[in-house]
Short mmCIF file of all heavy atoms in Angstrom, two decimals:
data_model
loop_
_atom_site.label_atom_id
_atom_site.label_comp_id
_atom_site.label_asym_id
_atom_site.label_seq_id
_atom_site.Cartn_x
_atom_site.Cartn_y
_atom_site.Cartn_z
N ALA O 237 -29.45 -54.57 33.83
CA ALA O 237 -28.19 -54.59 34.76
C ALA O 237 -27.50 -55.90 34.70
O ALA O 237 -26.33 -56.12 34.81
CB ALA O 237 -28.52 -54.00 36.09
N ILE O 240 -25.09 -57.20 31.88
CA ILE O 240 -23.85 -56.34 31.48
C ILE O 240 -22.61 -57.15 31.74
O ILE O 240 -22.38 -57.80 32.82
CB ILE O 240 -23.85 -55.02 32.23
CG1 ILE O 240 -25.03 -54.18 31.86
CG2 ILE O 240 -22.55 -54.25 31.97
CD1 ILE O 240 -25.18 -52.93 32.48
N TYR O 269 -25.61 -31.15 32.60
CA TYR O 269 -24.25 -30.87 32.12
C TYR O 269 -24.25 -30.68 30.65
O TYR O 269 -23.51 -29.76 30.18
CB TYR O 269 -23.43 -32.35 32.17
CG TYR O 269 -23.24 -32.73 33.72
CD1 TYR O 269 -23.25 -34.11 33.98
CD2 TYR O 269 -23.24 -31.91 34.80
CE1 TYR O 269 -23.11 -34.50 35.27
CE2 TYR O 269 -23.03 -32.35 36.10
CZ TYR O 269 -22.99 -33.74 36.21
OH TYR O 269 -22.83 -34.17 37.60
N PHE O 302 4.32 -2.66 13.38
CA PHE O 302 4.45 -3.86 14.23
C PHE O 302 3.56 -4.84 13.79
O PHE O 302 3.22 -5.91 14.67
CB PHE O 302 4.05 -3.43 15.72
CG PHE O 302 4.91 -2.39 16.38
CD1 PHE O 302 4.36 -1.33 17.00
CD2 PHE O 302 6.24 -2.43 16.21
CE1 PHE O 302 5.01 -0.36 17.49
CE2 PHE O 302 7.05 -1.37 16.80
CZ PHE O 302 6.39 -0.33 17.45
N LEU O 305 5.23 -8.27 14.10
CA LEU O 305 5.47 -8.64 15.53
C LEU O 305 4.24 -9.20 16.09
O LEU O 305 4.17 -10.10 16.75
CB LEU O 305 6.06 -7.44 16.22
CG LEU O 305 6.09 -7.65 17.79
CD1 LEU O 305 7.23 -8.65 18.01
CD2 LEU O 305 6.45 -6.32 18.34
N SER O 330 -11.03 -15.53 39.91
CA SER O 330 -11.72 -15.45 41.28
C SER O 330 -11.70 -13.89 41.48
O SER O 330 -12.77 -13.45 42.11
CB SER O 330 -10.92 -16.13 42.16
OG SER O 330 -10.79 -17.43 41.81
N TYR O 335 -15.47 -16.86 39.48
CA TYR O 335 -15.33 -18.21 39.90
C TYR O 335 -16.83 -18.81 39.87
O TYR O 335 -17.71 -18.33 40.38
CB TYR O 335 -14.85 -18.29 41.29
CG TYR O 335 -14.45 -19.74 41.74
CD1 TYR O 335 -13.31 -20.33 41.22
CD2 TYR O 335 -15.27 -20.34 42.70
CE1 TYR O 335 -13.13 -21.63 41.65
CE2 TYR O 335 -15.01 -21.51 43.17
CZ TYR O 335 -13.99 -22.18 42.54
OH TYR O 335 -13.70 -23.60 42.92
N LEU O 412 -12.86 -28.37 35.23
CA LEU O 412 -12.70 -28.98 36.56
C LEU O 412 -12.20 -28.03 37.63
O LEU O 412 -12.56 -28.04 38.73
CB LEU O 412 -11.57 -30.13 36.25
CG LEU O 412 -11.25 -31.11 37.35
CD1 LEU O 412 -12.68 -31.86 37.44
CD2 LEU O 412 -10.23 -31.94 36.90
N THR O 415 -15.29 -24.77 38.29
CA THR O 415 -16.63 -24.88 38.84
C THR O 415 -16.62 -25.49 40.16
O THR O 415 -15.70 -26.31 40.60
CB THR O 415 -17.46 -25.88 37.88
OG1 THR O 415 -16.84 -27.05 37.81
CG2 THR O 415 -17.76 -25.24 36.55
N LYS O 416 -17.67 -25.05 41.01
CA LYS O 416 -17.56 -25.45 42.46
C LYS O 416 -18.46 -26.70 42.67
O LYS O 416 -18.20 -27.47 43.39
CB LYS O 416 -18.21 -24.25 43.20
CG LYS O 416 -18.00 -24.39 44.66
CD LYS O 416 -18.48 -23.11 45.43
CE LYS O 416 -19.88 -22.75 45.16
NZ LYS O 416 -20.30 -21.52 45.76
N ASP O 417 -19.61 -26.68 41.91
CA ASP O 417 -20.55 -27.92 42.14
C ASP O 417 -21.28 -28.33 40.87
O ASP O 417 -20.88 -27.70 39.84
CB ASP O 417 -21.49 -27.48 43.31
CG ASP O 417 -22.20 -26.29 43.01
OD1 ASP O 417 -22.58 -26.14 41.77
OD2 ASP O 417 -22.39 -25.42 43.84
N ASP O 418 -22.18 -29.08 41.06
CA ASP O 418 -23.02 -29.69 39.87
C ASP O 418 -23.66 -28.70 39.09
O ASP O 418 -24.01 -28.91 38.03
CB ASP O 418 -23.87 -30.66 40.34
CG ASP O 418 -23.49 -32.07 39.96
OD1 ASP O 418 -22.32 -32.28 39.71
OD2 ASP O 418 -24.37 -32.92 39.90
N ARG O 421 -21.27 -27.77 36.00
CA ARG O 421 -20.42 -28.65 35.48
C ARG O 421 -20.70 -28.99 34.06
O ARG O 421 -21.91 -29.01 33.56
CB ARG O 421 -20.58 -30.10 36.26
CG ARG O 421 -19.42 -30.25 37.03
CD ARG O 421 -19.28 -31.62 37.67
NE ARG O 421 -18.52 -31.44 38.72
CZ ARG O 421 -18.99 -31.48 39.99
NH1 ARG O 421 -20.25 -31.92 40.20
NH2 ARG O 421 -18.10 -31.36 41.03
N GLN O 429 -17.73 -37.67 36.74
CA GLN O 429 -18.69 -37.81 37.84
C GLN O 429 -19.65 -38.96 37.94
O GLN O 429 -19.75 -39.67 38.80
CB GLN O 429 -19.35 -36.48 37.96
CG GLN O 429 -19.73 -36.01 39.33
CD GLN O 429 -18.48 -35.52 40.05
OE1 GLN O 429 -17.76 -36.37 40.60
NE2 GLN O 429 -18.26 -34.17 40.01
N GLN O 431 -19.48 -41.61 36.23
CA GLN O 431 -18.87 -42.84 36.29
C GLN O 431 -18.52 -43.32 37.71
O GLN O 431 -18.72 -44.39 38.25
CB GLN O 431 -17.51 -42.91 35.49
CG GLN O 431 -16.79 -44.26 35.48
CD GLN O 431 -15.39 -44.19 35.16
OE1 GLN O 431 -14.70 -43.32 35.41
NE2 GLN O 431 -14.91 -45.21 34.32
N SER O 432 -18.02 -42.19 38.53
CA SER O 432 -17.55 -42.62 39.87
C SER O 432 -18.79 -42.89 40.70
O SER O 432 -18.73 -43.70 41.64
CB SER O 432 -16.81 -41.52 40.54
OG SER O 432 -17.48 -40.32 40.64
N VAL O 433 -20.01 -42.24 40.42
CA VAL O 433 -21.13 -42.35 41.20
C VAL O 433 -21.97 -43.73 40.91
O VAL O 433 -22.49 -44.40 41.55
CB VAL O 433 -22.11 -41.20 41.09
CG1 VAL O 433 -23.45 -41.47 41.61
CG2 VAL O 433 -21.48 -40.01 41.73
N SER O 434 -21.68 -44.01 39.54
CA SER O 434 -22.50 -45.24 39.04
C SER O 434 -21.79 -46.38 38.79
O SER O 434 -21.91 -47.14 37.84
CB SER O 434 -23.16 -44.88 37.75
OG SER O 434 -23.98 -43.75 37.82
N ILE O 435 -20.72 -46.64 39.61
CA ILE O 435 -19.72 -47.68 39.40
C ILE O 435 -20.32 -49.00 39.34
O ILE O 435 -19.74 -49.91 38.71
CB ILE O 435 -18.61 -47.54 40.62
CG1 ILE O 435 -17.36 -47.32 40.09
CG2 ILE O 435 -18.54 -48.87 41.34
CD1 ILE O 435 -16.40 -46.79 41.11
N ASP O 436 -21.44 -49.32 40.02
CA ASP O 436 -22.12 -50.58 39.96
C ASP O 436 -23.19 -50.65 38.90
O ASP O 436 -23.87 -51.59 38.65
CB ASP O 436 -22.53 -50.95 41.28
CG ASP O 436 -23.57 -49.93 41.77
OD1 ASP O 436 -23.28 -48.69 41.47
OD2 ASP O 436 -24.44 -50.23 42.59
N GLN O 437 -23.35 -49.41 38.11
CA GLN O 437 -24.29 -49.36 37.01
C GLN O 437 -23.75 -49.01 35.83
O GLN O 437 -23.91 -47.85 35.39
CB GLN O 437 -25.42 -48.40 37.46
CG GLN O 437 -26.21 -48.79 38.72
CD GLN O 437 -27.35 -47.80 39.09
OE1 GLN O 437 -27.03 -46.67 39.44
NE2 GLN O 437 -28.62 -48.16 38.83
N MET C 30 11.46 3.27 17.47
CA MET C 30 11.63 1.77 17.64
C MET C 30 12.02 1.45 18.96
O MET C 30 11.74 0.47 19.54
CB MET C 30 12.73 1.46 16.67
CG MET C 30 12.96 -0.13 16.55
SD MET C 30 11.45 -1.17 16.12
CE MET C 30 12.06 -2.66 16.17
N TRP C 33 9.24 1.66 22.10
CA TRP C 33 8.37 0.51 22.46
C TRP C 33 9.09 -0.30 23.47
O TRP C 33 8.50 -1.01 24.35
CB TRP C 33 7.65 -0.30 21.38
CG TRP C 33 8.79 -1.13 20.57
CD1 TRP C 33 9.36 -0.78 19.47
CD2 TRP C 33 9.11 -2.54 20.96
NE1 TRP C 33 10.10 -1.82 18.99
CE2 TRP C 33 10.03 -2.94 19.94
CE3 TRP C 33 8.91 -3.44 22.01
CZ2 TRP C 33 10.62 -4.13 19.88
CZ3 TRP C 33 9.36 -4.59 21.99
CH2 TRP C 33 10.26 -4.96 20.96
N TRP C 84 -21.97 -28.06 52.66
CA TRP C 84 -21.28 -28.84 51.58
C TRP C 84 -21.11 -30.12 52.05
O TRP C 84 -20.67 -30.48 53.04
CB TRP C 84 -19.89 -28.25 51.21
CG TRP C 84 -20.02 -26.83 50.64
CD1 TRP C 84 -21.10 -26.17 50.22
CD2 TRP C 84 -18.73 -26.16 50.15
NE1 TRP C 84 -20.54 -24.96 49.60
CE2 TRP C 84 -19.28 -25.06 49.60
CE3 TRP C 84 -17.48 -26.49 50.27
CZ2 TRP C 84 -18.39 -23.98 48.93
CZ3 TRP C 84 -16.55 -25.51 49.62
CH2 TRP C 84 -17.07 -24.31 49.17
N THR C 88 -24.00 -39.34 48.11
CA THR C 88 -24.61 -39.48 46.70
C THR C 88 -25.60 -40.60 46.89
O THR C 88 -25.73 -41.35 47.75
CB THR C 88 -23.50 -40.11 45.72
OG1 THR C 88 -22.78 -41.25 46.20
CG2 THR C 88 -22.58 -39.04 45.48
N ARG C 89 -26.47 -40.60 45.88
CA ARG C 89 -27.51 -41.61 45.75
C ARG C 89 -28.42 -41.83 46.94
O ARG C 89 -28.99 -40.88 47.43
CB ARG C 89 -27.00 -42.98 45.19
CG ARG C 89 -26.53 -42.79 43.75
CD ARG C 89 -25.53 -43.73 43.22
NE ARG C 89 -25.90 -45.09 43.45
CZ ARG C 89 -25.35 -46.14 42.93
NH1 ARG C 89 -24.25 -46.01 42.15
NH2 ARG C 89 -25.71 -47.30 43.26
N VAL C 114 -25.37 -28.52 49.36
CA VAL C 114 -24.70 -28.37 48.10
C VAL C 114 -23.92 -29.65 48.06
O VAL C 114 -22.99 -29.93 48.85
CB VAL C 114 -23.76 -27.13 48.08
CG1 VAL C 114 -22.99 -27.20 46.78
CG2 VAL C 114 -24.61 -25.89 48.20
N ASN C 115 -24.04 -30.42 46.94
CA ASN C 115 -23.33 -31.73 46.84
C ASN C 115 -22.14 -31.54 46.01
O ASN C 115 -21.98 -31.20 44.88
CB ASN C 115 -24.32 -32.68 46.06
CG ASN C 115 -23.76 -34.15 46.26
OD1 ASN C 115 -22.67 -34.27 46.47
ND2 ASN C 115 -24.66 -35.06 46.00
N GLN C 116 -20.91 -31.81 46.72
CA GLN C 116 -19.71 -31.80 46.02
C GLN C 116 -19.15 -33.17 45.48
O GLN C 116 -18.11 -33.25 45.03
CB GLN C 116 -18.51 -31.25 47.14
CG GLN C 116 -18.90 -29.92 47.64
CD GLN C 116 -18.75 -28.87 46.64
OE1 GLN C 116 -18.46 -29.17 45.40
NE2 GLN C 116 -18.97 -27.57 46.98
N ILE C 117 -20.09 -34.10 45.58
CA ILE C 117 -19.95 -35.50 45.04
C ILE C 117 -18.80 -36.33 45.71
O ILE C 117 -19.11 -37.49 46.04
CB ILE C 117 -19.75 -35.56 43.53
CG1 ILE C 117 -20.69 -34.77 42.84
CG2 ILE C 117 -19.78 -36.92 43.01
CD1 ILE C 117 -22.06 -35.36 42.47
N LYS C 125 -12.24 -27.68 47.36
CA LYS C 125 -13.05 -26.47 47.15
C LYS C 125 -13.07 -25.68 48.38
O LYS C 125 -13.05 -24.51 48.43
CB LYS C 125 -14.59 -26.95 46.90
CG LYS C 125 -14.68 -27.60 45.53
CD LYS C 125 -14.64 -26.63 44.44
CE LYS C 125 -14.58 -27.27 42.98
NZ LYS C 125 -15.08 -28.42 42.57
N ALA C 128 -9.82 -23.71 48.32
CA ALA C 128 -9.88 -22.70 47.40
C ALA C 128 -10.81 -21.54 47.92
O ALA C 128 -10.52 -20.43 47.76
CB ALA C 128 -10.59 -23.28 46.07
N THR C 132 -10.91 -17.38 48.04
CA THR C 132 -12.01 -16.50 47.34
C THR C 132 -13.19 -16.04 48.26
O THR C 132 -13.95 -15.25 47.90
CB THR C 132 -12.69 -17.44 46.33
OG1 THR C 132 -13.42 -18.51 47.01
CG2 THR C 132 -11.68 -17.91 45.25
N ASP C 134 -15.38 -17.93 49.40
CA ASP C 134 -16.56 -18.66 49.19
C ASP C 134 -16.64 -19.92 49.98
O ASP C 134 -16.10 -20.94 49.63
CB ASP C 134 -16.48 -19.09 47.61
CG ASP C 134 -17.75 -19.59 47.11
OD1 ASP C 134 -18.82 -19.56 47.91
OD2 ASP C 134 -17.90 -19.90 45.88
N GLY C 302 -9.94 -43.65 41.84
CA GLY C 302 -10.23 -43.88 40.40
C GLY C 302 -11.39 -44.79 40.15
O GLY C 302 -12.33 -45.18 40.91
N GLY C 303 -11.51 -45.28 38.94
CA GLY C 303 -12.54 -46.00 38.46
C GLY C 303 -12.65 -47.46 38.82
O GLY C 303 -13.72 -48.15 38.70
N ILE C 305 -12.20 -48.66 42.12
CA ILE C 305 -12.13 -48.84 43.66
C ILE C 305 -13.14 -50.00 44.04
O ILE C 305 -12.90 -50.43 45.12
CB ILE C 305 -12.56 -47.51 44.26
CG1 ILE C 305 -13.83 -47.14 43.88
CG2 ILE C 305 -11.49 -46.42 44.12
CD1 ILE C 305 -14.41 -45.87 44.64
N TYR C 306 -14.05 -50.39 43.25
CA TYR C 306 -14.99 -51.40 43.75
C TYR C 306 -14.70 -52.73 42.87
O TYR C 306 -15.61 -53.67 42.90
CB TYR C 306 -16.41 -50.94 43.66
CG TYR C 306 -16.68 -50.02 44.76
CD1 TYR C 306 -17.34 -48.86 44.47
CD2 TYR C 306 -16.35 -50.32 46.11
CE1 TYR C 306 -17.67 -47.95 45.41
CE2 TYR C 306 -16.64 -49.38 47.07
CZ TYR C 306 -17.34 -48.15 46.89
OH TYR C 306 -17.52 -47.27 47.81
N ARG C 313 -18.88 -60.89 42.78
CA ARG C 313 -20.07 -61.10 41.92
C ARG C 313 -19.59 -61.98 40.84
O ARG C 313 -20.39 -63.01 40.48
CB ARG C 313 -20.61 -59.79 41.35
CG ARG C 313 -21.76 -60.08 40.31
CD ARG C 313 -22.38 -58.86 39.68
NE ARG C 313 -21.65 -58.50 38.45
CZ ARG C 313 -22.10 -57.66 37.57
NH1 ARG C 313 -23.25 -57.04 37.93
NH2 ARG C 313 -21.37 -57.30 36.48
N THR C 329 -23.74 -50.48 48.11
CA THR C 329 -23.16 -50.59 46.87
C THR C 329 -22.96 -52.15 46.47
O THR C 329 -23.37 -52.58 45.44
CB THR C 329 -21.68 -49.92 46.83
OG1 THR C 329 -21.79 -48.54 47.15
CG2 THR C 329 -21.17 -50.10 45.32
N SER C 332 -26.18 -53.83 45.62
CA SER C 332 -26.64 -53.39 44.31
C SER C 332 -25.80 -54.09 43.22
O SER C 332 -26.36 -54.51 42.22
CB SER C 332 -26.58 -51.87 44.11
OG SER C 332 -26.04 -51.56 43.00
N ILE C 333 -24.57 -54.27 43.52
CA ILE C 333 -23.67 -54.99 42.55
C ILE C 333 -24.07 -56.47 42.56
O ILE C 333 -24.19 -57.02 41.51
CB ILE C 333 -22.15 -54.89 43.05
CG1 ILE C 333 -21.57 -53.55 42.68
CG2 ILE C 333 -21.35 -55.99 42.21
CD1 ILE C 333 -20.11 -53.46 43.24
#
Side-chain angles (χ1 to χ4, degrees):
Chain O
I240 293 180
Y269 300 149
F302 305 127
L305 173 69
S330 308
Y335 185 73
L412 192 62
T415 55
K416 190 171 64 181
D417 54 43
D418 247 21
R421 253 192 204 109
Q429 208 69 278
Q431 183 199 37
S432 65
V433 167
S434 312
I435 243 166
D436 50 332
Q437 291 178 295
Chain C
M30 187 54 179
W33 74 262
W84 289 1
T88 56
R89 290 160 49 171
V114 174
N115 194 339
Q116 302 291 0
I117 308 275
K125 295 283 170 29
T132 63
D134 196 359
I305 56 173
Y306 287 129
R313 178 179 90 165
T329 306
S332 132
I333 285 175

